Amino acid sequence: MRRMGILAAAALATGGLASAAQAQGSETIQVFTRADLERALTNLNATFEKQEEYRNIDITFEDSILADALLLACEDEETEKNCYGTSILATFENPEGATRETILKAINTYNYNENFGRAYLDDEDTISVRFYIISDGGITRENYETQISLWTSSLNNFFGYLYPEAATEGEAEAATDS
């Protein structure tokens, strides 16, 4: 009987925590909607605009990172009904004078050091970093935003891997400004 009382108390406490989390804005998303994505981007101070011909959204994050987002794995792709995936893609210019080997080294360094996103050269040799979030089983709004924010932070590191001269120059300028 005592065990049942402890289990009941634990269940109430867990339910209370879930209610408290929802009250604090940690509502669980089961499937992504355009409104969910736009809300997350707005909360991250990103600007965005829907493309006329495509379902993609063009995004500019606060630190001037340009990206493209798309809801995927939808029951109906055209209407974006019940989407289980969010894909965000950033592409980068080839560094001036860089060889394919140095670009691949930067990509490999990013993929080894960073936990958010996957860097690669696409079929047209465009340097790309893609991030994919799934809602399978549910994800809180807060977690959705946090993951996008962490991805954009990891892209700042990618700049340093891909454009080491610019990173060194920036460090030198910062040192002389002090």
Side-chain angles (χ1 to χ4, degrees):
M1 189 66 158
R2 182 169 189 245
R3 185 171 182 221
M4 293 277 278
I6 291 171
L7 291 174
L12 284 173
T14 303
L17 290 175
S19 297
Q22 282 190 344
Q24 294 176 3
S26 294
E27 177 187 349
T28 301
I29 301 169
Q30 297 300 321
V31 290
F32 296 123
T33 65
R34 175 63 61 101
D36 294 325
L37 177 57
E38 290 177 359
R39 178 179 175 177
L41 295 172
T42 298
N43 289 343
L44 294 170
N45 296 318
T47 58
F48 53 91
E49 112 183 28
K50 182 179 178 181
Q51 296 182 16
E52 293 298 318
E53 301 169 22
Y54 307 101
R55 295 185 310 118
N56 305 43
I57 298 174
D58 289 329
I59 307 166
T60 303
F61 290 96
E62 251 187 315
D63 40 11
S64 301
I65 293 172
L66 304 176
D68 177 84
L70 182 64
L71 297 177
L72 295 172
C74 307
E75 284 180 15
D76 182 348
E77 297 288 336
E78 187 138 337
T79 63
E80 295 180 326
K81 180 181 177 191
N82 293 332
C83 299
Y84 290 91
T86 300
S87 176
I88 307 176
L89 175 71
T91 58
F92 298 84
E93 296 289 324
N94 287 335
E96 192 173 315
T99 64
R100 184 173 177 84
E101 181 180 306
T102 59
I103 292 169
L104 290 174
K105 181 179 178 187
I107 288 170
N108 287 337
T109 301
Y110 176 85
N111 288 334
Y112 181 79
N113 290 333
E114 307 300 326
N115 294 315
F116 295 92
R118 178 177 46 101
Y120 58 94
L121 285 174
D122 71 11
D123 293 341
E124 289 141 16
D125 281 342
T126 302
I127 303 166
S128 304
V129 181
R130 182 176 303 279
F131 183 52
Y132 194 76
I133 306 170
I134 62 170
S135 68
D136 297 32
I139 181 174
T140 64
R141 289 189 187 285
E142 181 179 59
N143 188 298
Y144 190 44
E145 290 171 20
T146 299
Q147 287 191 53
I148 295 170
S149 175
L150 289 169
W151 177 72
T152 60
S153 293
S154 80
L155 290 181
N156 286 318
N157 293 337
F158 187 60
F159 281 111
Y161 307 142
L162 189 59
Y163 311 108
E165 298 81 24
T168 305
E169 289 170 15
E171 290 168 9
E173 287 174 20
T176 58
D177 289 342
S178 302

